[in-house]
Amino acid sequence: EALIVADEETVFRLDPRTGKVIWSYESKSRMWGFALSGPLLLFLVQEPEANIVALEAVRGAIAWHQPFEGTPCSRIHPTGEAVSFLTLKPNRIQLFEVETGKRLLSTATYPEGGTSPQVIHAGDDVLVLHFANRSIEAYDLPSGKLRWRQLRGRMFDFIGMEMSAEGLVLLGTQRIG
């Protein structure tokens, strides 16, 4: 049993009973977008180039890292045997196999007019995005093809709660248009 704690520059694995550091990993650039998937802790770094990095949660060793194009605009989301996140410039859905880091998808685009994209559901075979410009869209995984799009007549701010095994709670919190 252990506790993994991270800030922007360092990840620690601690013994929760004693506070003793089991291992630590220091990054050369700011880390963010953390997610645990299977035996790996995944995070994003932007400098010197954009990469997704996977650390072995037990030993703190780098399992793999892969570069990607664009600027990340979401945290990492586990999606079955893979992980996904969004990038801007270009607007893309990125998908990587957890175990090996193999790139499964990097050419799927979401609309250039889509503003403030948020992942509101990450499933084994679908990724659902909400855009502040009144649309909710679902993309097939691993193909990245648009499954459906629902345009909303009014603009709402959404707060996405953390996902659970039972699903995602999505609340419309404020009418803004």
Side-chain angles (χ1 to χ4, degrees):
E1 182 176 290
L3 177 66
I4 296 177
V5 180
D7 60 28
E8 291 183 343
E9 299 171 350
T10 311
V11 179
F12 296 94
R13 181 174 179 207
L14 305 173
D15 181 314
R17 290 181 183 87
T18 66
K20 179 182 173 193
V21 175
I22 298 168
W23 57 257
S24 67
Y25 171 83
E26 282 193 46
S27 177
K28 295 178 179 141
S29 65
R30 182 178 164 265
M31 301 179 291
W32 66 284
F34 296 93
L36 275 169
S37 186
L40 300 176
L41 172 68
L42 300 110
F43 56 89
L44 304 168
V45 295
Q46 193 62 31
E47 295 175 6
E49 66 177 345
N51 271 272
I52 180 172
V53 180
L55 281 183
E56 294 177 10
V58 173
R59 299 184 311 127
I62 293 178
W64 55 264
H65 61 91
Q66 290 289 344
F68 58 87
E69 186 181 9
T71 302
C73 64
S74 78
R75 66 181 181 86
I76 297 171
H77 296 271
T79 52
E81 300 294 318
V83 290
S84 63
F85 59 95
L86 306 177
T87 58
L88 295 172
K89 297 181 182 178
N91 290 9
R92 299 260 168 80
I93 298 169
Q94 306 282 343
L95 187 69
F96 292 87
E97 186 177 75
V98 171
E99 189 176 323
T100 65
K102 178 183 175 187
R103 183 183 314 273
L104 300 175
L105 182 63
S106 66
T107 58
T109 60
Y110 57 88
E112 287 293 329
T115 57
S116 303
Q118 296 179 45
V119 175
I120 60 172
H121 176 75
D124 290 356
D125 64 347
V126 67
L127 192 66
V128 182
L129 309 180
H130 169 261
F131 297 93
N133 66 339
R134 305 179 183 170
S135 69
I136 299 172
E137 301 178 356
Y139 291 85
D140 182 72
L141 296 178
S143 74
K145 292 181 180 170
L146 181 67
R147 280 192 185 188
W148 54 264
R149 174 181 290 137
Q150 187 177 98
L151 301 175
R152 309 303 297 169
R154 297 172 299 194
M155 190 176 287
F156 287 89
D157 262 350
F158 284 93
I159 295 177
M161 308 294 282
E162 286 296 317
M163 287 176 277
S164 68
E166 293 78 38
L168 176 72
V169 176
L170 180 66
L171 303 172
T173 58
Q174 179 183 10
R175 184 177 176 174
I176 58 174

